[in-house]
Amino acid sequence: MSRSGDLTISQALVGEQIGSYFGSEVCPVDVNRDGVTDVLLVAAPMFLGHHHKEAGRVYIYRVGQVLLTLNGTLHADRKLQDSRFGYSMASAPDLNHDGFNDVVVGAPLEDNHRGAVYIYHGRGNTILPSYKQRIDSASFHHGLTYFGRSVSALMDLDGDSLVDLTVGSQGAVVVLRSQSIVRVNATLQVTPSSINMLQKNCERKGKESVCLNITVCFSVSSKLPEKSDIRFGQYRHIYSCNENLQLYR
């Protein structure tokens, strides 16, 4: 926009099909969370797929300093059905705690109009095209229809520092609570580090034996957004092993 208020079109994006409703839903995403938009998702929810089914399509455009560059499309379920994939979209703040923002896409006509939503993860400065999770309405409520007609991922409704998803359907709104990502690390320590079967270092049942101690530790942690690691605790179990070896001449 100029100082006089005039608008200049720098770039026009054109859909592949007439009537696909290309551009009816757009979603800017700051993938790497640096305050600058990295990707613009543009939906064509009535894009016709095989056998003239309203499959829908979502295009990934990388945002450059001047122009938008097409970088493929998001991949949804390949069932031969009406879907209207891309009817709703929302950027989600880092659902899997890897430091990159993610995306939620609705497909309200899937599964005979019962509907579904898809979760896509961010990586680097783009959105990975293959979905990481598909949530259909039949998996938790058989009476819902048009699940995914609207989506939002902005609020922490239960105060656990994790963003929750709200999904609209026909006459109802469903709240999907995010789960914490748990990391499990295991370590194994053997003492002594080397074993000499001819050198007895302990006594078992009144006999000299060769013994070793094995320490196995499991550490479980969860990294919540904007917070340091929270340790759930540590489990330690010490095994004492007695190895009987018969030497043959």
Side-chain angles (χ1 to χ4, degrees):
M1 177 181 291
S2 65
R3 293 183 178 180
S4 61
D6 296 331
L7 291 175
T8 301
I9 299 176
S10 299
Q11 183 180 7
L13 304 178
V14 181
E16 296 180 81
Q17 290 181 356
I18 296 177
S20 66
Y21 279 60
F22 177 83
S24 61
E25 188 77 12
V26 295
C27 179
V29 186
D30 174 15
V31 180
N32 56 16
R33 310 177 75 181
D34 63 352
V36 179
T37 299
D38 300 298
V39 168
L40 179 67
L41 301 179
V42 181
M46 295 186 183
F47 183 92
L48 295 181
H50 296 295
H51 298 278
H52 300 284
K53 297 292 185 180
E54 290 184 355
R57 181 167 289 184
V58 175
Y59 300 86
I60 306 171
Y61 288 91
R62 283 191 174 180
V63 180
Q65 294 183 352
V66 180
L67 299 176
L68 302 174
T69 304
L70 181 62
N71 191 38
T73 60
L74 297 181
H75 302 159
D77 197 270
R78 294 185 177 181
K79 292 180 181 178
L80 186 61
Q81 61 179 343
D82 289 325
S83 173
R84 290 194 182 176
F85 175 74
Y87 190 87
S88 61
M89 298 187 295
S91 176
D94 194 11
L95 295 175
N96 60 335
H97 310 166
D98 63 351
F100 301 102
N101 287 332
D102 306 308
V103 169
V104 184
V105 179
L109 295 193
E110 284 196 3
D111 299 336
N112 196 24
H113 295 195
R114 288 192 292 270
V117 295
Y118 292 82
I119 307 295
Y120 295 85
H121 287 170
R123 179 75 56 82
N125 60 352
T126 189
I127 298 296
L128 299 179
S130 299
Y131 66 88
K132 292 299 180 181
Q133 186 177 6
R134 178 183 181 272
I135 306 171
D136 59 81
S137 64
S139 62
F140 52 88
H141 196 298
H142 294 285
L144 290 176
T145 56
Y146 301 103
F147 177 75
R149 66 188 304 176
S150 62
V151 292
S152 177
L154 295 176
M155 300 179 64
D156 172 21
L157 298 176
D158 54 4
D160 62 354
S161 299
L162 300 174
V163 66
D164 300 310
L165 306 183
T166 52
V167 182
S169 62
Q170 184 70 32
V173 175
V174 178
V175 177
L176 302 177
R177 302 192 185 280
S178 299
Q179 299 295 319
S180 178
I181 304 297
V182 176
R183 298 175 177 87
V184 179
N185 296 317
T187 59
L188 176 69
Q189 182 179 4
V190 180
T191 306
S193 58
S194 60
I195 302 173
N196 186 346
M197 299 304 300
L198 300 179
Q199 183 177 354
K200 311 300 182 180
N201 60 358
C202 68
E203 185 175 315
R204 291 285 188 179
K205 297 180 180 180
K207 296 182 179 181
E208 291 186 343
S209 302
V210 176
C211 298
L212 58 89
N213 290 325
I214 300 176
T215 303
V216 181
C217 295
F218 297 93
S219 178
V220 182
S221 63
S222 174
K223 189 172 184 180
L224 299 179
E226 309 301 333
K227 292 187 177 182
S228 59
D229 281 356
I230 296 178
R231 297 286 175 177
F232 286 98
Q234 190 176 69
Y235 170 78
R236 174 174 292 186
H237 193 91
I238 300 178
Y239 296 88
S240 294
C241 301
N242 180 24
E243 181 69 25
N244 293 321
L245 179 64
Q246 184 176 1
L247 298 178
Y248 294 92
R249 293 182 179 178

